[in-house]
Amino acid sequence: MMMLKERQFAVSQWLLTAADDREVARSQWADQGIALLCCGGVLSAMRIPARLVWAAARTDDLNEVDDFLRRFFSGGAVFMDLHAQRYYALVGGATRWPWRGRDFPEVGRLGRDTFLGVPATHLTEPRGRSYWCVPMESPGDLTYMDEVGDLCHRGRAALAEVGGL
């Protein structure tokens, strides 16, 4: 069984494969807690507004939302940018978003030629700028796009119920 620190190290090494410069990214994680990684290669990300995730979870309590997301996804990795109030589900680099833009206008796929500020793997509590709500369990453990879609559909339905759509 892999220890937490070993797992975080292995995951961070894998995430660094998406960096333009691994040493710069390591330094960014050490100094700022966030490193800029390139999307479209080994990973891409789905940007989801917090209000959609909170509607799906039926709460905006971050600890409860994190628990919900850990149960909702069958693996994968999700982090939240607390300042921008957005969640990012990491998906495969070549994964396509199968829904039309008008279905989920505020949801976006970050692909090739996009950089994403990714938190250091040890940041797993809702404080600071960004943190892992669903930490990556092993290198390359990415979220399934159909589950991201299910989350968005669930959130949209919940918002429609309360007239928040």
Side-chain angles (χ1 to χ4, degrees), residues 114-125:
T114 305
F115 287 87
L116 176 63
V118 176
T121 57
H122 70 278
L123 300 176
T124 58
E125 297 294 324

Side-chain angles (χ1 to χ4, degrees), residues 38-83:
C38 306
C39 293
V42 296
L43 62 86
S44 288
M46 294 303 302
R47 181 184 57 232
I48 310 164
R51 72 182 197 97
L52 196 59
V53 174
W54 295 342
R58 299 203 179 264
T59 182
D60 62 359
D61 178 279
L62 295 180
N63 291 314
E64 290 178 26
V65 174
D66 295 351
D67 289 341
F68 165 80
L69 290 172
R70 286 185 196 110
R71 289 187 315 272
F72 189 86
F73 290 111
S74 57
V78 179
F79 68 88
M80 182 186 188
D81 180 329
L82 290 160
H83 292 261

Side-chain angles (χ1 to χ4, degrees), residues 2 15 19-20 25 57 68 73 78 90 93 99 101 105 117-118 120 127 136-137 144 151 154 157-158:
M2 193 181 284
L15 287 169
D20 265 353
F68 165 80
F73 290 111
V78 179
L90 298 186
W99 293 276
V118 176
R127 60 177 164 252
M136 191 178 283
E137 287 296 318
Y144 294 109
L151 177 72
R154 184 176 181 158

Side-chain angles (χ1 to χ4, degrees), residues 92-161:
T95 306
R96 294 198 175 280
W97 176 242
W99 293 276
R100 297 179 309 233
R102 69 176 181 251
D103 291 337
F104 297 101
E106 64 279 323
V107 175
R109 181 182 168 279
L110 305 179
R112 191 166 303 286
D113 299 325
T114 305
F115 287 87
L116 176 63
V118 176
T121 57
H122 70 278
L123 300 176
T124 58
E125 297 294 324
R127 60 177 164 252
R129 171 72 196 213
S130 187
Y131 78 102
W132 291 97
C133 327
V134 182
M136 191 178 283
E137 287 296 318
S138 61
D141 184 19
L142 300 172
T143 308
Y144 294 109
M145 186 62 82
D146 60 337
E147 292 180 340
V148 174
D150 290 347
L151 177 72
C152 293
H153 282 285
R154 184 176 181 158
R156 185 173 67 180
L159 285 173
E161 283 177 18

Side-chain angles (χ1 to χ4, degrees), residues 5-18 22 25-26 29 37 119-122 136 138-139:
K5 294 282 186 197
E6 293 168 328
R7 186 178 72 233
Q8 288 174 341
F9 177 76
V11 167
S12 67
Q13 292 301 107
W14 183 83
L15 287 169
L16 287 171
T17 65
R22 291 178 187 200
R26 276 189 192 97
W29 273 335
L37 302 182
T121 57
H122 70 278
M136 191 178 283
S138 61

